[in-house]
Amino acid sequence: MKSQTLESRSDPSGYPFAVTRMAVAQICKSAGFKSSQRSALETLADVAARHLQALARSAASSAALAGRTDSNLLDIILALEDLHGLLPGSSTSRPPYSSPAIADVVRFVRVADEIPFPKALPRRDIRPEESIFPLNPRSVSGFLNHVPRWLPEIPKMGDGVDKGHHREEKWEMRSTEGCCLVGDGERMERGLAGKRERVRFRMGIVGRLTNGVCRGGGKRVSCQSWTCCEDDDEEKICLKKRPKSCDVLFYSRKKRKGQFK
Amino acid sequence: MNQGQQSKQGNRHDDDDDDAALSEFLASLMDYTPTIPDELVEHYLAKSGFQCPDVRLVRLVAVATQKFIGEVATNALQHCKARQAAVVKDKRDKQQKDKRLILAMEDLSKALREPVLAARVTAPEYYYLAKNLTCYSYTVE
């Protein structure tokens, strides 16, 4: 499988590709470029992705050839040599730990400045003990160590007792967030989870009223929000006071000529 | 026979030195944060079947890729500058074009076509030095 297929492995609209593009743009900027053509940047990001995948694939295959599932440093060195070409002093004649491929990387780390990635990526914390398979006792007890880690657990068989009926609970009886049951299970009122601001809408023609004729535009919807007051009396007082945050939204229709002056 | 034994011992010494140097390097790798974030590298490694619980090896792959892309970018930069130097008309034009170092497809394709080998002059120390030198050369006019 020497020749790589030309099919595009990285989807240009995908999230990992966008992150790769960002990282490659950082590297180009540190190399000296001020800006870049979009197609060139995407090509270079694609090259970076392919490089990563090619290294990974050849390291994984060399580990598999040796009968291991986890790759180690040796596999990576061999993969680097495989990808970048053999130089005098490579693994064929000398032990691989002193190969120039790894020596170059060592020199690079020593010489080059760190180029930080601009944004922090959200990390999904997947710990190695938690696998995608359900909790298996193998991780706890030691006597099942001969079973490979990646095999799923044997599914639990039922006892034979019919427990199906307890699933048929009425959906009204089920408690959901933000929903409170009032009265019997048949009637249900929904209440709000927390106190929210009261919002009022006033629809109609809001504008300057001059001699009963509205000037200054068409229909408007104004919305004002103020804090919720429990009592009616208090509400009236609230109205009189100027609301703290007065967000006025305007929706204006195009003025129809001939109707307003 | 004696010579063979001596050379074997010599090799073992070298191996120990290399091992020590490499383990030191791997420890230093945890201080150096590669530009390509670890999560992204892990995504591509997992996609290709690479499995390794060691974070340092993930960083090693990231650093190797960063080095490679950096070398390609530097080669493309050299091509770009060579192209600009060939199109110099008068002083004003050159100064304007200095600020417009744009990564273009033609420079990138030329850079990718050349094999990026470590034995060539694109060794890390050289191109960092060269970058500083070329900066100076443009100010002396």
Side-chain angles (χ1 to χ4, degrees), chain B residues 63-94:
Chain B
V63 165
T65 307
Q66 182 181 341
K67 170 178 162 287
F68 172 70
I69 297 292
E71 284 173 359
V72 169
T74 312
N75 285 349
L77 187 73
Q78 285 173 1
H79 282 293
C80 185
K81 286 189 175 167
R83 222 164 21 101
Q84 281 177 8
V87 194
V88 161
K89 283 187 182 161
D90 55 319
K91 227 183 187 174
R92 248 187 302 141
D93 272 354
K94 194 176 182 183

PDB file of all heavy atoms in Angstrom, chain B residues 63-94:
ATOM      1  N   VAL B  63       4.982  17.166  17.286  1.00  0.00           N
ATOM      2  CA  VAL B  63       6.168  17.986  17.047  1.00  0.00           C
ATOM      3  C   VAL B  63       6.798  17.642  15.706  1.00  0.00           C
ATOM      4  O   VAL B  63       7.248  18.526  14.967  1.00  0.00           O
ATOM      5  CB  VAL B  63       7.180  17.799  18.194  1.00  0.00           C
ATOM      6  CG1 VAL B  63       8.535  18.317  17.807  1.00  0.00           C
ATOM      7  CG2 VAL B  63       6.695  18.507  19.426  1.00  0.00           C
ATOM      8  N   ALA B  64       6.804  16.344  15.361  1.00  0.00           N
ATOM      9  CA  ALA B  64       7.366  15.943  14.073  1.00  0.00           C
ATOM     10  C   ALA B  64       6.575  16.558  12.922  1.00  0.00           C
ATOM     11  O   ALA B  64       7.150  17.050  11.942  1.00  0.00           O
ATOM     12  CB  ALA B  64       7.369  14.422  13.964  1.00  0.00           C
ATOM     13  N   THR B  65       5.256  16.563  13.062  1.00  0.00           N
ATOM     14  CA  THR B  65       4.426  17.166  12.019  1.00  0.00           C
ATOM     15  C   THR B  65       4.635  18.672  11.966  1.00  0.00           C
ATOM     16  O   THR B  65       4.694  19.270  10.878  1.00  0.00           O
ATOM     17  CB  THR B  65       2.940  16.859  12.275  1.00  0.00           C
ATOM     18  OG1 THR B  65       2.780  15.463  12.435  1.00  0.00           O
ATOM     19  CG2 THR B  65       2.078  17.332  11.146  1.00  0.00           C
ATOM     20  N   GLN B  66       4.771  19.288  13.141  1.00  0.00           N
ATOM     21  CA  GLN B  66       4.988  20.734  13.160  1.00  0.00           C
ATOM     22  C   GLN B  66       6.302  21.090  12.487  1.00  0.00           C
ATOM     23  O   GLN B  66       6.382  22.073  11.739  1.00  0.00           O
ATOM     24  CB  GLN B  66       4.997  21.214  14.611  1.00  0.00           C
ATOM     25  CG  GLN B  66       5.175  22.702  14.727  1.00  0.00           C
ATOM     26  CD  GLN B  66       5.214  23.136  16.161  1.00  0.00           C
ATOM     27  OE1 GLN B  66       4.784  22.420  17.057  1.00  0.00           O
ATOM     28  NE2 GLN B  66       5.747  24.317  16.383  1.00  0.00           N
ATOM     29  N   LYS B  67       7.315  20.275  12.751  1.00  0.00           N
ATOM     30  CA  LYS B  67       8.621  20.506  12.123  1.00  0.00           C
ATOM     31  C   LYS B  67       8.506  20.399  10.612  1.00  0.00           C
ATOM     32  O   LYS B  67       9.006  21.257   9.872  1.00  0.00           O
ATOM     33  CB  LYS B  67       9.610  19.491  12.679  1.00  0.00           C
ATOM     34  CG  LYS B  67      10.933  19.442  11.970  1.00  0.00           C
ATOM     35  CD  LYS B  67      11.828  18.436  12.663  1.00  0.00           C
ATOM     36  CE  LYS B  67      12.973  18.037  11.765  1.00  0.00           C
ATOM     37  NZ  LYS B  67      12.616  17.177  10.671  1.00  0.00           N
ATOM     38  N   PHE B  68       7.789  19.381  10.150  1.00  0.00           N
ATOM     39  CA  PHE B  68       7.642  19.170   8.717  1.00  0.00           C
ATOM     40  C   PHE B  68       6.909  20.333   8.063  1.00  0.00           C
ATOM     41  O   PHE B  68       7.350  20.881   7.047  1.00  0.00           O
ATOM     42  CB  PHE B  68       6.896  17.854   8.495  1.00  0.00           C
ATOM     43  CG  PHE B  68       6.503  17.603   7.077  1.00  0.00           C
ATOM     44  CD1 PHE B  68       7.451  17.310   6.125  1.00  0.00           C
ATOM     45  CD2 PHE B  68       5.180  17.646   6.685  1.00  0.00           C
ATOM     46  CE1 PHE B  68       7.095  17.067   4.809  1.00  0.00           C
ATOM     47  CE2 PHE B  68       4.813  17.412   5.373  1.00  0.00           C
ATOM     48  CZ  PHE B  68       5.766  17.126   4.444  1.00  0.00           C
ATOM     49  N   ILE B  69       5.793  20.742   8.664  1.00  0.00           N
ATOM     50  CA  ILE B  69       5.013  21.834   8.078  1.00  0.00           C
ATOM     51  C   ILE B  69       5.813  23.131   8.130  1.00  0.00           C
ATOM     52  O   ILE B  69       5.762  23.955   7.211  1.00  0.00           O
ATOM     53  CB  ILE B  69       3.670  21.980   8.819  1.00  0.00           C
ATOM     54  CG1 ILE B  69       2.834  20.723   8.654  1.00  0.00           C
ATOM     55  CG2 ILE B  69       2.902  23.186   8.328  1.00  0.00           C
ATOM     56  CD1 ILE B  69       2.332  20.490   7.255  1.00  0.00           C
ATOM     57  N   GLY B  70       6.574  23.328   9.201  1.00  0.00           N
ATOM     58  CA  GLY B  70       7.413  24.511   9.303  1.00  0.00           C
ATOM     59  C   GLY B  70       8.454  24.557   8.205  1.00  0.00           C
ATOM     60  O   GLY B  70       8.721  25.614   7.614  1.00  0.00           O
ATOM     61  N   GLU B  71       9.035  23.394   7.914  1.00  0.00           N
ATOM     62  CA  GLU B  71      10.031  23.351   6.845  1.00  0.00           C
ATOM     63  C   GLU B  71       9.408  23.635   5.490  1.00  0.00           C
ATOM     64  O   GLU B  71       9.962  24.375   4.661  1.00  0.00           O
ATOM     65  CB  GLU B  71      10.717  21.982   6.838  1.00  0.00           C
ATOM     66  CG  GLU B  71      11.722  21.840   7.962  1.00  0.00           C
ATOM     67  CD  GLU B  71      12.269  20.436   8.050  1.00  0.00           C
ATOM     68  OE1 GLU B  71      11.860  19.573   7.254  1.00  0.00           O
ATOM     69  OE2 GLU B  71      13.101  20.191   8.929  1.00  0.00           O
ATOM     70  N   VAL B  72       8.225  23.060   5.247  1.00  0.00           N
ATOM     71  CA  VAL B  72       7.538  23.324   3.981  1.00  0.00           C
ATOM     72  C   VAL B  72       7.204  24.802   3.868  1.00  0.00           C
ATOM     73  O   VAL B  72       7.384  25.427   2.802  1.00  0.00           O
ATOM     74  CB  VAL B  72       6.254  22.464   3.886  1.00  0.00           C
ATOM     75  CG1 VAL B  72       5.381  22.904   2.736  1.00  0.00           C
ATOM     76  CG2 VAL B  72       6.609  21.006   3.720  1.00  0.00           C
ATOM     77  N   ALA B  73       6.751  25.393   4.977  1.00  0.00           N
ATOM     78  CA  ALA B  73       6.388  26.814   4.951  1.00  0.00           C
ATOM     79  C   ALA B  73       7.628  27.670   4.689  1.00  0.00           C
ATOM     80  O   ALA B  73       7.563  28.660   3.944  1.00  0.00           O
ATOM     81  CB  ALA B  73       5.735  27.213   6.277  1.00  0.00           C
ATOM     82  N   THR B  74       8.756  27.296   5.306  1.00  0.00           N
ATOM     83  CA  THR B  74       9.978  28.067   5.077  1.00  0.00           C
ATOM     84  C   THR B  74      10.432  27.960   3.631  1.00  0.00           C
ATOM     85  O   THR B  74      10.841  28.969   3.026  1.00  0.00           O
ATOM     86  CB  THR B  74      11.089  27.561   5.999  1.00  0.00           C
ATOM     87  OG1 THR B  74      10.570  27.461   7.315  1.00  0.00           O
ATOM     88  CG2 THR B  74      12.256  28.492   6.006  1.00  0.00           C
ATOM     89  N   ASN B  75      10.354  26.767   3.077  1.00  0.00           N
ATOM     90  CA  ASN B  75      10.711  26.621   1.659  1.00  0.00           C
ATOM     91  C   ASN B  75       9.817  27.478   0.776  1.00  0.00           C
ATOM     92  O   ASN B  75      10.283  28.144  -0.165  1.00  0.00           O
ATOM     93  CB  ASN B  75      10.595  25.152   1.232  1.00  0.00           C
ATOM     94  CG  ASN B  75      11.737  24.317   1.767  1.00  0.00           C
ATOM     95  OD1 ASN B  75      12.709  24.852   2.281  1.00  0.00           O
ATOM     96  ND2 ASN B  75      11.620  23.009   1.634  1.00  0.00           N
ATOM     97  N   ALA B  76       8.518  27.471   1.086  1.00  0.00           N
ATOM     98  CA  ALA B  76       7.574  28.275   0.297  1.00  0.00           C
ATOM     99  C   ALA B  76       7.892  29.758   0.437  1.00  0.00           C
ATOM    100  O   ALA B  76       7.787  30.525  -0.527  1.00  0.00           O
ATOM    101  CB  ALA B  76       6.135  28.002   0.757  1.00  0.00           C
ATOM    102  N   LEU B  77       8.301  30.153   1.665  1.00  0.00           N
ATOM    103  CA  LEU B  77       8.669  31.556   1.883  1.00  0.00           C
ATOM    104  C   LEU B  77       9.871  31.940   1.030  1.00  0.00           C
ATOM    105  O   LEU B  77       9.917  33.031   0.443  1.00  0.00           O
ATOM    106  CB  LEU B  77       8.974  31.785   3.364  1.00  0.00           C
ATOM    107  CG  LEU B  77       9.198  33.227   3.776  1.00  0.00           C
ATOM    108  CD1 LEU B  77       7.890  33.957   3.776  1.00  0.00           C
ATOM    109  CD2 LEU B  77       9.843  33.305   5.129  1.00  0.00           C
ATOM    110  N   GLN B  78      10.843  31.033   0.959  1.00  0.00           N
ATOM    111  CA  GLN B  78      12.028  31.319   0.155  1.00  0.00           C
ATOM    112  C   GLN B  78      11.664  31.450  -1.315  1.00  0.00           C
ATOM    113  O   GLN B  78      12.156  32.347  -2.024  1.00  0.00           O
ATOM    114  CB  GLN B  78      13.070  30.222   0.351  1.00  0.00           C
ATOM    115  CG  GLN B  78      13.763  30.331   1.688  1.00  0.00           C
ATOM    116  CD  GLN B  78      14.658  29.157   1.961  1.00  0.00           C
ATOM    117  OE1 GLN B  78      14.787  28.260   1.132  1.00  0.00           O
ATOM    118  NE2 GLN B  78      15.285  29.144   3.111  1.00  0.00           N
ATOM    119  N   HIS B  79      10.765  30.581  -1.770  1.00  0.00           N
ATOM    120  CA  HIS B  79      10.314  30.691  -3.162  1.00  0.00           C
ATOM    121  C   HIS B  79       9.614  32.018  -3.403  1.00  0.00           C
ATOM    122  O   HIS B  79       9.793  32.675  -4.430  1.00  0.00           O
ATOM    123  CB  HIS B  79       9.360  29.545  -3.498  1.00  0.00           C
ATOM    124  CG  HIS B  79      10.046  28.252  -3.768  1.00  0.00           C
ATOM    125  ND1 HIS B  79      10.850  28.056  -4.862  1.00  0.00           N
ATOM    126  CD2 HIS B  79      10.057  27.097  -3.087  1.00  0.00           C
ATOM    127  CE1 HIS B  79      11.322  26.816  -4.838  1.00  0.00           C
ATOM    128  NE2 HIS B  79      10.862  26.216  -3.773  1.00  0.00           N
ATOM    129  N   CYS B  80       8.792  32.402  -2.420  1.00  0.00           N
ATOM    130  CA  CYS B  80       8.026  33.653  -2.552  1.00  0.00           C
ATOM    131  C   CYS B  80       8.975  34.841  -2.633  1.00  0.00           C
ATOM    132  O   CYS B  80       8.807  35.730  -3.478  1.00  0.00           O
ATOM    133  CB  CYS B  80       7.103  33.778  -1.337  1.00  0.00           C
ATOM    134  SG  CYS B  80       5.991  35.174  -1.388  1.00  0.00           S
ATOM    135  N   LYS B  81       9.983  34.839  -1.767  1.00  0.00           N
ATOM    136  CA  LYS B  81      10.924  35.958  -1.765  1.00  0.00           C
ATOM    137  C   LYS B  81      11.749  35.985  -3.045  1.00  0.00           C
ATOM    138  O   LYS B  81      12.042  37.053  -3.578  1.00  0.00           O
ATOM    139  CB  LYS B  81      11.839  35.859  -0.554  1.00  0.00           C
ATOM    140  CG  LYS B  81      11.140  36.226   0.721  1.00  0.00           C
ATOM    141  CD  LYS B  81      12.100  36.336   1.872  1.00  0.00           C
ATOM    142  CE  LYS B  81      11.373  36.834   3.097  1.00  0.00           C
ATOM    143  NZ  LYS B  81      12.160  36.686   4.311  1.00  0.00           N
ATOM    144  N   ALA B  82      12.102  34.782  -3.525  1.00  0.00           N
ATOM    145  CA  ALA B  82      12.869  34.718  -4.762  1.00  0.00           C
ATOM    146  C   ALA B  82      12.058  35.295  -5.911  1.00  0.00           C
ATOM    147  O   ALA B  82      12.575  36.012  -6.775  1.00  0.00           O
ATOM    148  CB  ALA B  82      13.255  33.270  -5.049  1.00  0.00           C
ATOM    149  N   ARG B  83      10.741  34.998  -5.881  1.00  0.00           N
ATOM    150  CA  ARG B  83       9.892  35.515  -6.949  1.00  0.00           C
ATOM    151  C   ARG B  83       9.773  37.025  -6.865  1.00  0.00           C
ATOM    152  O   ARG B  83       9.766  37.734  -7.869  1.00  0.00           O
ATOM    153  CB  ARG B  83       8.495  34.891  -6.841  1.00  0.00           C
ATOM    154  CG  ARG B  83       7.930  34.507  -8.172  1.00  0.00           C
ATOM    155  CD  ARG B  83       6.763  33.574  -8.074  1.00  0.00           C
ATOM    156  NE  ARG B  83       6.070  33.556  -6.834  1.00  0.00           N
ATOM    157  CZ  ARG B  83       4.916  34.181  -6.595  1.00  0.00           C
ATOM    158  NH1 ARG B  83       4.362  34.883  -7.553  1.00  0.00           N
ATOM    159  NH2 ARG B  83       4.335  34.082  -5.428  1.00  0.00           N
ATOM    160  N   GLN B  84       9.693  37.546  -5.642  1.00  0.00           N
ATOM    161  CA  GLN B  84       9.572  38.995  -5.481  1.00  0.00           C
ATOM    162  C   GLN B  84      10.847  39.693  -5.896  1.00  0.00           C
ATOM    163  O   GLN B  84      10.815  40.769  -6.485  1.00  0.00           O
ATOM    164  CB  GLN B  84       9.265  39.332  -4.024  1.00  0.00           C
ATOM    165  CG  GLN B  84       7.814  39.127  -3.665  1.00  0.00           C
ATOM    166  CD  GLN B  84       7.564  39.410  -2.212  1.00  0.00           C
ATOM    167  OE1 GLN B  84       8.443  39.906  -1.507  1.00  0.00           O
ATOM    168  NE2 GLN B  84       6.383  39.103  -1.750  1.00  0.00           N
ATOM    169  N   ALA B  85      11.984  39.081  -5.560  1.00  0.00           N
ATOM    170  CA  ALA B  85      13.264  39.700  -5.902  1.00  0.00           C
ATOM    171  C   ALA B  85      13.443  39.787  -7.405  1.00  0.00           C
ATOM    172  O   ALA B  85      14.136  40.673  -7.899  1.00  0.00           O
ATOM    173  CB  ALA B  85      14.406  38.887  -5.280  1.00  0.00           C
ATOM    174  N   ALA B  86      12.806  38.884  -8.123  1.00  0.00           N
ATOM    175  CA  ALA B  86      12.961  38.883  -9.574  1.00  0.00           C
ATOM    176  C   ALA B  86      12.092  39.940 -10.236  1.00  0.00           C
ATOM    177  O   ALA B  86      12.322  40.309 -11.377  1.00  0.00           O
ATOM    178  CB  ALA B  86      12.616  37.502 -10.129  1.00  0.00           C
ATOM    179  N   VAL B  87      11.089  40.430  -9.510  1.00  0.00           N
ATOM    180  CA  VAL B  87      10.142  41.354 -10.131  1.00  0.00           C
ATOM    181  C   VAL B  87      10.352  42.773  -9.610  1.00  0.00           C
ATOM    182  O   VAL B  87       9.435  43.572  -9.614  1.00  0.00           O
ATOM    183  CB  VAL B  87       8.684  40.876  -9.864  1.00  0.00           C
ATOM    184  CG1 VAL B  87       7.700  41.594 -10.767  1.00  0.00           C
ATOM    185  CG2 VAL B  87       8.583  39.385 -10.101  1.00  0.00           C
ATOM    186  N   VAL B  88      11.536  43.080  -9.131  1.00  0.00           N
ATOM    187  CA  VAL B  88      11.762  44.401  -8.546  1.00  0.00           C
ATOM    188  C   VAL B  88      11.799  45.458  -9.634  1.00  0.00           C
ATOM    189  O   VAL B  88      12.532  45.339 -10.610  1.00  0.00           O
ATOM    190  CB  VAL B  88      13.096  44.394  -7.758  1.00  0.00           C
ATOM    191  CG1 VAL B  88      13.602  45.801  -7.548  1.00  0.00           C
ATOM    192  CG2 VAL B  88      12.893  43.694  -6.446  1.00  0.00           C
ATOM    193  N   LYS B  89      11.006  46.497  -9.468  1.00  0.00           N
ATOM    194  CA  LYS B  89      11.034  47.576 -10.460  1.00  0.00           C
ATOM    195  C   LYS B  89      11.716  48.814  -9.905  1.00  0.00           C
ATOM    196  O   LYS B  89      12.739  49.256 -10.379  1.00  0.00           O
ATOM    197  CB  LYS B  89       9.608  47.889 -10.906  1.00  0.00           C
ATOM    198  CG  LYS B  89       9.119  46.839 -11.874  1.00  0.00           C
ATOM    199  CD  LYS B  89       7.793  47.154 -12.498  1.00  0.00           C
ATOM    200  CE  LYS B  89       7.403  45.996 -13.422  1.00  0.00           C
ATOM    201  NZ  LYS B  89       6.004  45.985 -13.731  1.00  0.00           N
ATOM    202  N   ASP B  90      11.134  49.400  -8.877  1.00  0.00           N
ATOM    203  CA  ASP B  90      11.846  50.486  -8.218  1.00  0.00           C
ATOM    204  C   ASP B  90      11.699  50.326  -6.711  1.00  0.00           C
ATOM    205  O   ASP B  90      11.024  49.445  -6.239  1.00  0.00           O
ATOM    206  CB  ASP B  90      11.325  51.857  -8.680  1.00  0.00           C
ATOM    207  CG  ASP B  90       9.825  51.955  -8.465  1.00  0.00           C
ATOM    208  OD1 ASP B  90       9.170  50.942  -8.747  1.00  0.00           O
ATOM    209  OD2 ASP B  90       9.327  52.980  -8.030  1.00  0.00           O
ATOM    210  N   LYS B  91      12.337  51.189  -5.988  1.00  0.00           N
ATOM    211  CA  LYS B  91      12.441  51.032  -4.542  1.00  0.00           C
ATOM    212  C   LYS B  91      11.079  50.943  -3.855  1.00  0.00           C
ATOM    213  O   LYS B  91      10.858  50.164  -2.956  1.00  0.00           O
ATOM    214  CB  LYS B  91      13.240  52.209  -3.981  1.00  0.00           C
ATOM    215  CG  LYS B  91      14.309  51.801  -3.007  1.00  0.00           C
ATOM    216  CD  LYS B  91      14.996  53.018  -2.446  1.00  0.00           C
ATOM    217  CE  LYS B  91      16.181  52.615  -1.607  1.00  0.00           C
ATOM    218  NZ  LYS B  91      16.953  53.753  -1.153  1.00  0.00           N
ATOM    219  N   ARG B  92      10.159  51.781  -4.260  1.00  0.00           N
ATOM    220  CA  ARG B  92       8.869  51.831  -3.589  1.00  0.00           C
ATOM    221  C   ARG B  92       8.111  50.501  -3.718  1.00  0.00           C
ATOM    222  O   ARG B  92       7.517  50.002  -2.779  1.00  0.00           O
ATOM    223  CB  ARG B  92       8.024  52.961  -4.177  1.00  0.00           C
ATOM    224  CG  ARG B  92       7.817  54.100  -3.174  1.00  0.00           C
ATOM    225  CD  ARG B  92       6.857  55.124  -3.702  1.00  0.00           C
ATOM    226  NE  ARG B  92       7.307  55.694  -4.968  1.00  0.00           N
ATOM    227  CZ  ARG B  92       6.481  55.978  -5.970  1.00  0.00           C
ATOM    228  NH1 ARG B  92       5.204  55.770  -5.863  1.00  0.00           N
ATOM    229  NH2 ARG B  92       6.943  56.482  -7.107  1.00  0.00           N
ATOM    230  N   ASP B  93       8.175  49.938  -4.924  1.00  0.00           N
ATOM    231  CA  ASP B  93       7.471  48.678  -5.154  1.00  0.00           C
ATOM    232  C   ASP B  93       7.969  47.587  -4.225  1.00  0.00           C
ATOM    233  O   ASP B  93       7.216  46.826  -3.654  1.00  0.00           O
ATOM    234  CB  ASP B  93       7.670  48.229  -6.614  1.00  0.00           C
ATOM    235  CG  ASP B  93       6.604  48.839  -7.500  1.00  0.00           C
ATOM    236  OD1 ASP B  93       5.697  49.477  -6.934  1.00  0.00           O
ATOM    237  OD2 ASP B  93       6.679  48.665  -8.730  1.00  0.00           O
ATOM    238  N   LYS B  94       9.308  47.556  -4.072  1.00  0.00           N
ATOM    239  CA  LYS B  94       9.882  46.469  -3.281  1.00  0.00           C
ATOM    240  C   LYS B  94       9.445  46.565  -1.821  1.00  0.00           C
ATOM    241  O   LYS B  94       9.107  45.594  -1.188  1.00  0.00           O
ATOM    242  CB  LYS B  94      11.403  46.541  -3.385  1.00  0.00           C
ATOM    243  CG  LYS B  94      12.099  45.305  -2.890  1.00  0.00           C
ATOM    244  CD  LYS B  94      13.583  45.401  -3.118  1.00  0.00           C
ATOM    245  CE  LYS B  94      14.284  44.154  -2.663  1.00  0.00           C
ATOM    246  NZ  LYS B  94      15.729  44.266  -2.816  1.00  0.00           N
TER     247      LYS B  94
END
